RNA sequence: GGGCCGUUAGCUCAGUCGGUAGAGCAGCUGACUCUUAAUCAGCGGGUCGGAGGUUCAAGUCCUCCACGGCUCACCA
């Protein structure tokens, strides 16, 4: 049952179906199986970009290209078309009377967005544009739906994310973001691999969601008859591998957190985690500076980048601030006010930070950083000296066990990395886990009280003996945001999570409003 | 979940004080053998997100709902 509002759309689609039938009637295959491609638009440009017209005329070689028709300018018996392929675009020049087979009908019934194979020689048009003079054109696949307008593109944000294929087709900047994303990830793989890190894959489905504090997604395994959780972090598994003698490991994969969506949060997001035995958090800060500045140089050509209108210099060394100094510097709360829980709570609340009455001192400090300090940390900054009570997996400082050897890296007011020297004392780890379990707030809707155990298996693994190790997580999506100057995480995730829209087939064909069945 | 803003043709957008819904592109018909935002002539295309309400009259005002954006909360 087509909706009345789709009338115009249906009519445009019907036109295109009629054109498809015309090609069929002329003996052309509608969706032919194979067209042998012998060149690309970029290859032709590369080879003939500087060749003058008179020399092009002597080439005499035929090229076979395939791609999508993105512009069409017909002139009676001739036509110009822009053919886009994965490497770029080139202009096709067609004389109808030179076409073979069903070519004339194919050309006459061509629509914007059609996929075609074209064969011909090269020439330069009167205006000097390198073009392919087409002698054979084959419809490879019909585009039945009208594309968005040619110079405004597709702007509507919701439609862009719901119809990402169309977004990628008509908005070149979108494609560039995902090309950069792929290159960033490739760079990181090579960077870590060249330093002896082994890439591994650890469980996405875990019996106990560990390695972070976040509300997990739950699922059920039928054959095992048990609930499982989508992982919120791979941390505990990666450290098991370090115990197993894989001294340097990394994983780039998805984490899942059942929490709010925002311009900086998607329920599934990509995390790099890596662990290096016999290293400390200091070593990882140095490695992070080097990796990210090199990455920017490799991808953008410079360690000087611009993010949301602000220049940022990723060159080492980055700034370093203790958590308390960061608070004092960016909020004006005096250092001694941060010394005890009561005065810290009062000072933070005075500045509008939402806190619970029983929040611990460490938790107060961490929340103040998130709320008031993070927005100021535009230039790359390591915040260090986190409180032990908010860092259950980190190694305490030898000279002050109330603090841990931990850092978070902020760039462009985004939290990009979190790393620390790992706690490898199994007895202390058990105490921390138990304390975490005991201190949960049963009234907090985000706390899963069904989880009643600690990860004894992990403790047992630590008892085998984990070398002194440092580990770190880097949010890949946020890093890509930074290096592509993207304001929202949705711009750097191909299919960001959206609420399903009624009346559009999201999960399958023919979705319809639930209300249509009633009455 | 709260606040603010948005939703008009396939796409990008106008729509004044509440008084018969518009443009450009895309589409259709015709002309055109070098255009590239092709040009020229003509034509069609609307559940104004949905449902109620106020009114002689609602795209416009009110209420609720849906979806989205920003933001706050949440998120070590």
């Amino acid at each position: 049952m087509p909706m009345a509002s789709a009338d115009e759309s249906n009519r445009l689609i019907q036109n295109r179906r009629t054109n498809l039938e015309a090609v069929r009637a002329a003996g052309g295959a509608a969706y032919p199986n194979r067209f042998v491609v012998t060149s690309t638009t970029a290859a032709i440009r590369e080879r003939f970009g500087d060749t003058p017209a008179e020399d092009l005329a002597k080439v005499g070689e035929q090229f076979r290209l395939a791609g999508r028709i993105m512009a069409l300018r017909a002139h009676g018996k001739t036509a110009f078309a822009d053919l886009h392929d994965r490497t770029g675009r080139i202009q096709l020049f067609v004389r109808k009377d030179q076409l073979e087979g069903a070519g004339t009908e194919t050309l006459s019934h061509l629509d914007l967005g059609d996929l075609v194979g074209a064969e011909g020689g090269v020439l330069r048009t009167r205006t000097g544009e390198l073009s392919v003079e087409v002698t054979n054109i084959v419809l490879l696949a019909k585009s039945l739906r009208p594309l968005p307008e040619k110079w405004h593109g597709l702007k509507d944000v919701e439609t862009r994310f719901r119809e990402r294929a169309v977004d990628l087709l008509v908005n070149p900047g979108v494609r560039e973001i995902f090309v950069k994303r792929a290159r960033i990830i490739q760079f990181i793989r090579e960077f870590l691999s060249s330093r002896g890190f082994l890439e591994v894959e650890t469980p996405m489905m875990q019996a106990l969601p560990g390695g972070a504090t976040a509300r997990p997604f739950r699922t059920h395994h039928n054959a095992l008859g048990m609930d499982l959780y989508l992982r919120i972090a791979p941390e505990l598994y990666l450290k098991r591998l370090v115990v197993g003698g894989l001294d340097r490991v990394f994983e780039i994969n998805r984490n899942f957190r059942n929490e709010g969506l925002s311009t900086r949060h998607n329920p599934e997001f990509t995390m790099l985690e890596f662990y290096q035995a016999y290293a400390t958090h200091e070593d990882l800060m140095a490695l992070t500076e080097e990796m990210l500045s090199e990455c920017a140089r490799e991808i953008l050509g410079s360690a000087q980048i611009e993010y949301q209108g602000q220049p940022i210099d990723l060159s080492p060394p980055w700034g370093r601030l203790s958590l308390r100094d960061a608070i004092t510097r960016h909020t004006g709360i005096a250092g001694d006010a941060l010394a005890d829980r009561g005065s810290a709570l009062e000072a933070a609340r005075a500045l509008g930070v939402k806190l619970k009455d029983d929040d611990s001192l460490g938790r107060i400090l961490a929340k103040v950083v998130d709320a008031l300090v993070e927005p100021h940390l535009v230039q790359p900054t390591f915040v260090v000296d986190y409180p032990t009570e908010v860092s259950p997996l980190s190694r305490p400082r030898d000279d002050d066990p109330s603090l841990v050897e931990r850092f978070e890296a902020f760039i462009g007011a985004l939290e990009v990395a979190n790393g620390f020297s790992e706690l490898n004392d199994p007895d202390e780890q058990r105490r921390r886990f138990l304390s975490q379990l005991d201190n949960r707030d049963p009234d907090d809707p985000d706390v899963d009280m069904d989880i009643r155990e600690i990860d004894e298996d992990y403790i047992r693994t630590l008892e085998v003996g984990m070398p002194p190790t440092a580990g770190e997580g880097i949010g890949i999506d946020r890093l890509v945001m930074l290096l592509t100057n993207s304001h929202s995480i949705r711009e750097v995730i191909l299919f960001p999570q959206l609420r399903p829209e009624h009346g559009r087939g999201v999960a399958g064909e023919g979705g319809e409003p639930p209300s249509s069945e009633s009455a």
Side-chain angles (χ1 to χ4, degrees):
Chain A
M1 177 175 65
M3 300 184 67
S5 63
D7 270 0
E8 169 67 3
S9 176
N10 286 344
R11 216 175 42 75
L12 296 173
I13 291 170
Q14 195 49 52
N15 286 340
R16 287 167 177 250
R17 288 192 180 277
T18 304
N19 285 338
L20 175 59
E21 290 314 314
V23 173
R24 270 196 179 116
Y31 292 93
N33 191 24
R34 184 147 170 81
F35 178 86
V36 177
V37 175
T38 62
S39 192
T40 62
T41 62
I44 289 176
R45 253 176 220 294
E46 170 110 1
R47 190 166 152 198
F48 300 112
D50 300 322
T51 312
E54 56 271 30
D55 295 338
L56 282 181
K58 296 175 205 151
V59 169
E61 188 178 338
Q62 294 290 102
F63 302 91
R64 292 168 67 86
L65 300 170
R68 196 179 291 270
I69 299 295
M70 295 301 284
L72 196 54
R73 298 174 291 279
H75 286 257
K77 293 187 179 61
T78 64
F80 299 86
D82 291 347
L83 182 79
H84 287 226
D85 67 6
R86 72 191 150 82
T87 66
R89 71 161 276 279
I90 202 159
Q91 177 171 264
L92 304 181
F93 173 53
V94 196
R95 290 190 173 90
K96 278 187 185 173
D97 51 16
Q98 287 185 351
L99 287 176
E100 304 165 0
T104 309
E105 283 303 304
T106 301
L107 180 70
S108 306
H109 297 94
L110 211 52
D111 286 300
L112 291 180
D114 283 355
L115 291 156
V116 301
E119 179 174 10
V122 288
L123 91 164
R124 210 167 273 286
T125 61
R126 219 168 268 170
T127 55
E129 177 157 350
L130 180 65
S131 306
V132 171
E133 186 174 20
V134 175
T135 51
N136 186 21
I137 186 164
V138 181
L139 182 66
L140 298 180
K142 191 69 187 172
S143 176
L144 291 173
R145 292 185 176 270
L147 288 178
E149 199 235 2
K150 63 184 167 192
W151 73 84
H152 292 104
L154 180 62
K155 283 226 170 67
D156 184 85
V157 179
E158 183 176 352
T159 311
R160 282 186 47 225
F161 295 151
R162 290 194 194 280
E163 301 185 31
R164 192 61 116 164
V166 177
D167 186 31
L168 285 162
L169 274 181
V170 301
N171 293 327
V174 174
R175 195 161 46 231
E176 281 169 27
I177 285 174
F178 291 102
V179 170
K180 274 184 188 160
R181 181 178 173 120
R183 292 177 58 207
I184 289 164
I185 292 171
Q186 188 178 4
F187 174 88
I188 290 171
R189 282 209 161 91
E190 287 167 5
F191 182 96
L192 291 174
S193 298
S194 73
R195 280 162 181 72
F197 286 82
L198 185 72
E199 182 167 8
V200 298
E201 293 166 275
T202 63
M204 314 283 276
M205 300 167 77
Q206 304 178 348
L208 277 175
T213 314
R215 195 178 188 188
F217 288 94
R218 194 196 300 222
T219 184
H220 186 77
H221 192 290
N222 290 338
L224 292 175
M226 66 183 291
D227 280 351
L228 289 167
Y229 299 87
L230 301 186
R231 76 178 188 193
I232 55 178
E235 172 150 357
L236 302 185
Y237 286 92
L238 290 169
K239 286 195 282 201
R240 283 174 169 94
L241 298 179
V242 176
V243 171
L246 304 180
D247 280 357
R248 297 184 177 196
V249 292
F250 75 99
E251 177 165 8
I252 298 174
N253 223 324
R254 224 67 65 79
N255 288 347
F256 306 86
R257 296 187 181 176
N258 205 342
E259 288 163 359
L261 287 68
S262 80
T263 48
R264 296 185 304 280
H265 298 85
N266 195 65
E268 52 179 306
F269 62 100
T270 301
M271 182 79 106
L272 160 69
E273 281 204 16
F274 56 99
Y275 291 82
Q276 179 175 353
Y278 312 109
T280 68
H281 74 304
E282 291 283 349
D283 298 318
L284 292 195
M285 284 192 273
L287 181 145
T288 303
E289 288 172 339
E290 186 185 350
M291 180 165 71
L292 298 193
S293 60
E294 284 299 317
C295 183
R297 261 190 278 277
E298 174 84 11
I299 308 300
L300 303 175
S302 170
Q304 274 76 45
I305 66 170
E306 184 180 306
Y307 185 66
Q308 303 297 298
Q310 295 165 305
I312 292 174
D313 185 358
L314 294 175
S315 308
W318 296 357
R320 296 184 190 206
L321 275 177
S322 77
L323 188 92
R324 282 184 162 82
D325 288 349
I327 291 172
T328 299
R329 175 178 301 189
H330 293 288
T331 69
I333 299 176
D336 29 341
L338 300 175
D340 73 276
R341 205 189 78 85
S343 59
L345 185 71
E346 190 181 342
R349 280 186 167 159
L351 292 174
V353 181
K354 301 266 169 59
L355 295 165
K356 292 176 193 153
D357 288 331
D358 59 349
D359 274 341
S360 66
L361 175 58
R363 185 144 173 93
I364 292 167
L365 299 182
K367 282 186 173 177
V368 169
V369 167
D370 284 350
L372 300 177
V373 176
E374 188 172 314
H376 293 99
L377 300 177
V378 175
Q379 294 307 315
T381 306
F382 291 114
V383 174
V384 298
D385 292 342
Y386 276 76
T388 304
E389 57 207 87
V390 296
S391 312
L393 299 164
S394 303
R395 168 189 292 270
R397 273 173 54 157
D398 290 338
D399 58 345
D400 181 356
S402 73
L403 299 176
V404 290
E405 290 194 5
R406 175 181 170 196
F407 63 89
E408 289 199 0
F410 296 88
I411 311 174
L414 291 171
E415 180 196 330
V416 169
N418 176 23
F420 39 88
S421 303
E422 303 296 339
L423 178 60
N424 63 345
D425 174 343
D427 298 334
E428 172 65 12
Q429 185 67 76
R430 176 181 283 109
R431 280 193 291 275
R432 299 260 197 105
F433 276 165
L434 287 172
S435 151
Q436 232 186 332
L437 205 61
D438 290 344
N439 290 334
R440 288 181 305 175
D441 178 358
D443 297 328
D444 185 342
D446 288 343
V447 168
D448 191 338
M449 293 305 285
D450 289 349
I451 299 172
R452 293 194 177 83
E453 332 158 47
I454 65 171
D455 196 338
E456 284 291 350
D457 179 83
Y458 175 68
I459 305 282
R460 185 162 52 247
T461 304
L462 282 188
E463 286 171 352
V464 174
M466 182 167 83
T469 298
E472 178 174 346
I474 293 182
I476 295 295
D477 310 284
R478 289 182 185 174
L479 179 63
V480 175
M481 285 170 69
L482 203 61
L483 296 181
T484 59
N485 196 14
S486 297
H487 169 66
S488 167
I489 198 168
R490 296 184 192 96
E491 294 290 345
V492 303
I493 291 176
L494 280 167
F495 299 100
Q497 197 62 46
L498 296 178
R499 198 181 299 270
E501 189 187 17
H502 293 316
R504 292 169 84 149
V506 173
E509 296 289 318
E512 58 179 23
S515 59
S516 68
E517 293 290 323
S518 58

